[in-house]
Amino acid sequence: VHKTPWKPRPITSTAGSITHGLGQWVDQEIKPIVNKLPSYIRSSTHLLERLKSINFEPSNVSFFSCNAVSMYTNIDTTHALETLHPFLTTPPLCAGCQANAIITTLEILMRQNVFKLGDTYWKQKTGTAMGTPPGANYAELYYGTWEIEFLEYFLGNLALYCRYIDDGIGLWIHHPDPDIDRNSFASLQATMSSFGSLEWEFSELCKSIDFMDVHLYITPTGIKSRLYEKPMNLYLYLPPRSAHPPGVLTGLIIGMTKRIYALTTELDDRAQSLRLLFLRLCNRGYDQATLRPLFEIAIKKAHTKKTATIDFNDEKRCYLHLSYHPQDPSSTVIQQTFRNTLLRPSGEPSLTEL
């Protein structure tokens, strides 16, 4: 509803369907390849890290953003599969991947998407199978094959170019001649829209821009940033009476505080964002006496700038998930009971040895 005009988006979940397992498998196979694409960014924080790593003259650059028009529904399936098959057999990005199995699986998922609407059944004829697990990475990888080809022709114009699925952002280096500069930017736009059925809409070249959840602006000393939140955001955080574990509020405040610290450059912007977060939680019904110590903990943690890294293989980890109830034993008791009776029972082999 934040689009003008409003736009409908058909999404059909494949969870529980016969193809869901295939979708999960192929998503795991192509995700490592997507992560190696030169344009790939995983978050706003990752974008800021990349911006900090490049050298440029602030007075001679401008931002632009671009957006693919209905990317999922406008990806031509035949063109995508014909493009991806040779790409998946090309090193070094795709070295060792199971190209034939991946293409066969994508063929099934994208060409056999049957869904129910009311008492009628439909088969999707073109476009990305909406709601299937690899949908986002499939779209990322498809257009990423084209970016690898054309970006080398614009190396003199682009200090940086990144894309998050269907949203792209670039840092444009201006040519001294305004006519050449304008023609080069037009050439980039035409090139990006010349691949398959996709059409890209571009912003004007500018010194400040909103992208994802960050506002970026160019100053004489470099690029600065602050938090960007959509005008229609209602900030509907969990209310105090919600039956969630007590740690959820603590985790929310710590996570949001770390995000504010990561995305804001100036102290005044940081203080304003923290103040707004505090007031919005008060508006949801939390009392200030509960919030203040949690904010103090969160700010202290944000100042330490320590990032926890978890090194494990998702495919080999098993999760015990229990629905929370306020009258249940505490998580500490449940975890200790699990360790003593299942993980490492006395006089018995540990669970990991079975």
Side-chain angles (χ1 to χ4, degrees):
V1 295
H2 66 279
K3 300 286 186 180
T4 304
W6 289 6
K7 294 182 180 180
R9 295 292 172 90
I11 300 175
T12 58
S13 173
T14 62
S17 71
I18 196 171
T19 59
H20 190 63
L22 278 175
Q24 289 181 311
W25 174 81
V26 77
D27 191 44
Q28 291 177 357
E29 291 295 308
I30 64 177
K31 186 172 180 59
I33 304 171
V34 169
N35 292 350
K36 297 175 188 174
L37 293 173
S39 63
Y40 173 76
I41 51 170
R42 61 181 176 273
S43 63
S44 300
T45 307
H46 189 199
L47 170 62
L48 293 178
E49 290 172 0
R50 293 194 60 177
L51 283 169
K52 290 175 183 176
S53 67
I54 59 175
N55 295 316
F56 57 90
E57 174 54 49
S59 62
N60 195 41
V61 296
S62 292
F63 282 118
F64 70 87
S65 64
C66 52
N67 173 265
V69 179
S70 301
M71 186 179 210
Y72 284 5
T73 50
N74 283 331
I75 291 179
D76 181 83
T77 303
T78 300
H79 185 254
L81 296 176
E82 289 176 352
T83 301
L84 288 174
H85 191 260
F87 177 79
L88 290 171
T89 61
T90 306
L93 260 64
C94 307
C97 80
Q98 303 178 62
N100 291 332
I102 291 172
I103 291 298
T104 302
T105 302
L106 289 174
E107 180 100 28
I108 294 170
L109 294 173
M110 301 303 159
R111 295 199 186 280
Q112 305 298 330
N113 190 35
V114 178
F115 56 92
K116 184 180 180 183
L117 178 64
D119 60 351
T120 61
Y121 289 85
W122 302 77
K123 180 178 180 181
Q124 185 172 345
K125 296 179 68 176
T126 187
T128 307
M130 301 292 281
T132 196
N137 285 318
Y138 166 76
E140 284 260 25
L141 187 60
Y142 166 66
Y143 198 75
T145 62
W146 178 232
E147 288 169 334
I148 290 174
E149 288 189 38
F150 80 76
L151 283 178
E152 63 182 53
Y153 297 106
F154 294 93
L155 291 177
N157 303 110
L158 293 170
L160 182 73
Y161 169 83
C162 301
R163 181 173 55 84
Y164 185 81
I165 309 178
D166 60 347
D167 290 310
I169 185 171
L171 196 58
W172 183 261
I173 303 172
H174 290 287
H175 191 277
D177 187 322
D179 291 333
I180 295 176
D181 190 58
R182 186 166 47 253
N183 291 336
S184 297
F185 189 55
S187 176
L188 173 67
Q189 297 179 57
T191 302
M192 288 188 64
S193 294
S194 65
F195 185 67
S197 304
L198 292 181
E199 179 184 346
W200 290 80
E201 295 176 340
F202 281 74
S203 70
E204 298 292 332
L205 294 170
C206 52
K207 293 295 182 180
S208 65
I209 199 166
D210 297 323
F211 185 76
M212 296 172 67
D213 58 347
V214 65
H215 175 77
L216 300 166
Y217 55 102
I218 300 170
T219 71
T221 58
I223 294 175
K224 309 245 182 218
S225 63
R226 61 173 174 264
L227 210 60
Y228 169 71
E229 294 162 316
K230 285 187 170 69
M232 294 188 70
N233 193 338
L234 299 178
Y235 308 102
L236 301 180
Y237 303 120
L238 290 173
R241 299 296 180 186
S242 180
H244 283 77
V248 169
L249 176 62
T250 305
L252 168 68
I253 293 173
I254 291 175
M256 291 292 289
T257 301
K258 285 186 175 180
R259 174 170 166 262
I260 290 168
Y261 268 72
L263 299 183
T264 53
T265 310
E266 300 297 298
L267 292 176
D268 288 346
D269 291 332
R270 187 173 296 168
Q272 175 68 0
S273 294
L274 287 169
R275 189 179 299 110
L276 287 172
L277 174 62
F278 185 89
L279 292 174
R280 286 161 184 161
L281 287 169
C282 289
N283 290 337
R284 289 297 281 167
Y286 294 96
D287 60 89
Q288 295 188 16
T290 301
L291 296 175
R292 287 189 184 280
L294 297 180
F295 268 83
E296 290 173 3
I297 293 170
I299 291 170
K300 185 176 180 181
K301 284 182 174 290
H303 274 296
T304 61
K305 294 185 179 180
K306 289 183 179 178
T307 55
T309 56
I310 303 174
D311 185 18
F312 63 85
N313 189 329
D314 282 328
E315 297 179 68
K316 296 181 180 179
R317 173 164 288 212
C318 181
Y319 289 91
L320 172 66
H321 179 79
L322 302 175
S323 298
Y324 174 77
H325 191 283
Q327 296 177 356
D328 281 344
S330 68
S331 59
T332 302
V333 172
I334 293 174
Q335 290 167 9
Q336 190 61 49
T337 305
F338 175 79
R339 293 190 193 99
N340 294 340
T341 59
L342 284 171
L343 187 60
R344 292 185 294 273
S346 177
E348 300 288 341
S350 68
L351 185 63
T352 56
E353 294 174 352
L354 297 180

